[in-house]
Amino acid sequence: MLWRVLAWSVLLPPFAVVLLLFTERGSQLVLDNVGRLAPIEIEHSGGTLAGTLELQRLVWRSEGLELELQGVVLELIPSCLWYSKVCFQQLQARELELAVLPSPPEGSDAVADDDDTLVVFPFPLETEHLQVDALRVHWQGGEWRQGQITASVQIYGSTIDIRKAEVANAKLTLQGSPDTSSEPVILPEINLPLELLVGELTIASAGWDLSGALGQVDQLGLRGAWLRQELQVQELRIAAEEFGSWVARGSLEFAGPWPLAVTLDGEMPTLDAWPSLLDRTLALKASGDLTALLITASMGGSVDVA
């Protein structure tokens, strides 16, 4: 008899915890406890952790970053918990907003501008099936907006690893200093307090507004990495009826006048007045920064001698 009592005393607590996951009330209690242990706000709207869970709102805040998801539907993979990470069979959201918070003022007790501390996510996350209907990333001096994204994503430590993603209707907006004189536009500094890895990103219809300079491409593909102010572009593929098809590689620093080093290989669009002796392929190299840019170009062609 005694051994049965001891067995139940050992097995009942974990059994009760498992049962909680199968009820809405129990799932609510678990989510409330998660919110107390981590810098996360969770508003539960229905479902259970053992099945499909619906969240009205989820907010995560850190020293330099604030992330908010609205209209969330998720389905956990329980076996991942044995490996101390959270995996989702599916993760859908109506809207995602990511704010890169401005640096603290000089002389404050907050983190200094030259502090290299990165955001650390509270636990690893992974999903092969992420879908967000609308996304906005904004910082002091600019923003990135887009329509629906479907992606395969891993989050660990201070890294967001986007292994594959497809995006529709994206736009980048950057605002420099007001143009009140003949002085050049002062570009904003962008300091991303985490590492962003992009394995394969495809964007259908992408546009930009760079301090009033507008542009649009039909399709854009990207592989690269972004850490703090340094952007490394392994490959940027651009296709547009107006500009032709291009592939760019290089680096860009979002500080000061934005120093860069880029190579660009492309094919010009078909033009009626284009000389027949010249190829439509063009190779460009750019170095310097956006206030003093050195560009070299080379183009092939042929000469017929009669």
Side-chain angles (χ1 to χ4, degrees):
M1 183 66 179
L2 179 59
W3 70 269
R4 292 183 180 178
V5 174
L6 292 174
W8 277 109
S9 66
V10 172
L11 295 175
L12 191 56
F15 185 67
V17 171
V18 172
L19 286 178
L20 284 176
L21 305 181
F22 286 86
T23 67
E24 287 200 12
R25 179 57 181 163
S27 296
Q28 177 70 67
L29 291 173
V30 173
L31 294 174
D32 289 344
N33 284 321
V34 170
R36 295 188 186 98
L37 296 174
I40 299 175
E41 296 179 18
I42 302 174
E43 295 182 12
H44 177 243
S45 59
T48 68
L49 287 164
T52 301
L53 184 69
E54 298 179 7
L55 304 178
Q56 182 175 340
R57 183 169 171 265
L58 186 150
V59 181
W60 176 72
R61 295 183 177 91
S62 72
E63 190 69 40
L65 210 63
E66 181 174 305
L67 183 148
E68 180 175 351
L69 286 162
Q70 294 188 8
V72 180
V73 178
L74 59 88
E75 184 178 349
L76 289 170
I77 302 176
S79 59
C80 277
L81 299 176
W82 293 106
Y83 303 98
S84 300
K85 63 180 180 179
V86 178
C87 304
F88 301 99
Q89 182 68 35
Q90 64 164 326
L91 177 57
Q92 301 178 5
R94 184 179 66 254
E95 184 177 347
L96 187 155
E97 183 168 345
L98 181 65
V100 180
L101 304 179
S103 301
E106 293 185 11
S108 69
D109 294 332
V111 179
D113 287 346
D114 58 355
D115 192 343
D116 290 331
T117 303
L118 297 177
V119 167
V120 178
F121 294 96
F123 39 77
L125 299 171
E126 180 178 342
T127 179
E128 294 289 339
H129 305 286
L130 170 68
Q131 178 178 314
V132 178
D133 294 335
L135 182 146
R136 178 180 179 239
V137 181
H138 58 98
W139 56 89
Q140 191 171 22
E143 70 171 13
W144 169 273
R145 286 182 179 268
Q146 66 183 51
Q148 186 181 89
I149 175 174
T150 57
S152 170
V153 180
Q154 281 186 322
I155 298 176
Y156 49 90
S158 301
T159 301
I160 298 178
D161 186 356
I162 302 174
R163 290 172 290 186
K164 185 176 182 179
E166 295 182 357
V167 172
N169 302 321
K171 184 176 181 181
L172 173 66
T173 302
L174 294 176
Q175 298 296 335
S177 60
D179 188 13
T180 57
S181 65
S182 60
E183 295 294 324
V185 172
I186 299 176
L187 295 167
E189 292 194 359
I190 307 174
N191 192 345
L192 188 68
L194 54 84
E195 183 177 24
L196 177 62
L197 305 177
V198 178
E200 182 181 348
L201 171 64
T202 303
I203 303 176
S205 183
W208 59 85
D209 180 352
L210 307 180
S211 299
L214 305 179
Q216 180 84 24
V217 297
D218 302 323
Q219 190 174 63
L220 185 150
L222 174 67
R223 291 190 297 111
W226 184 0
L227 175 62
R228 285 295 187 188
Q229 296 176 325
E230 185 75 19
L231 176 65
Q232 295 288 337
V233 177
Q234 298 172 7
E235 184 178 76
L236 175 63
R237 303 181 308 278
I238 302 171
E241 184 177 353
E242 183 180 356
F243 305 120
S245 300
W246 300 86
V247 177
R249 298 175 179 87
S251 62
L252 172 65
E253 184 178 353
F254 296 108
W258 287 20
L260 58 85
V262 177
T263 62
L264 193 63
D265 299 291
E267 183 174 335
M268 301 286 289
T270 302
L271 301 174
D272 294 337
W274 191 259
S276 59
L277 296 179
L278 294 179
D279 291 340
R280 290 192 295 116
T281 58
L282 182 65
L284 300 172
K285 289 185 178 180
S287 60
D289 57 53
L290 296 188
T291 62
L293 197 61
L294 175 63
I295 299 177
T296 59
S298 60
M299 177 181 292
S302 60
V303 177
D304 293 331
V305 179

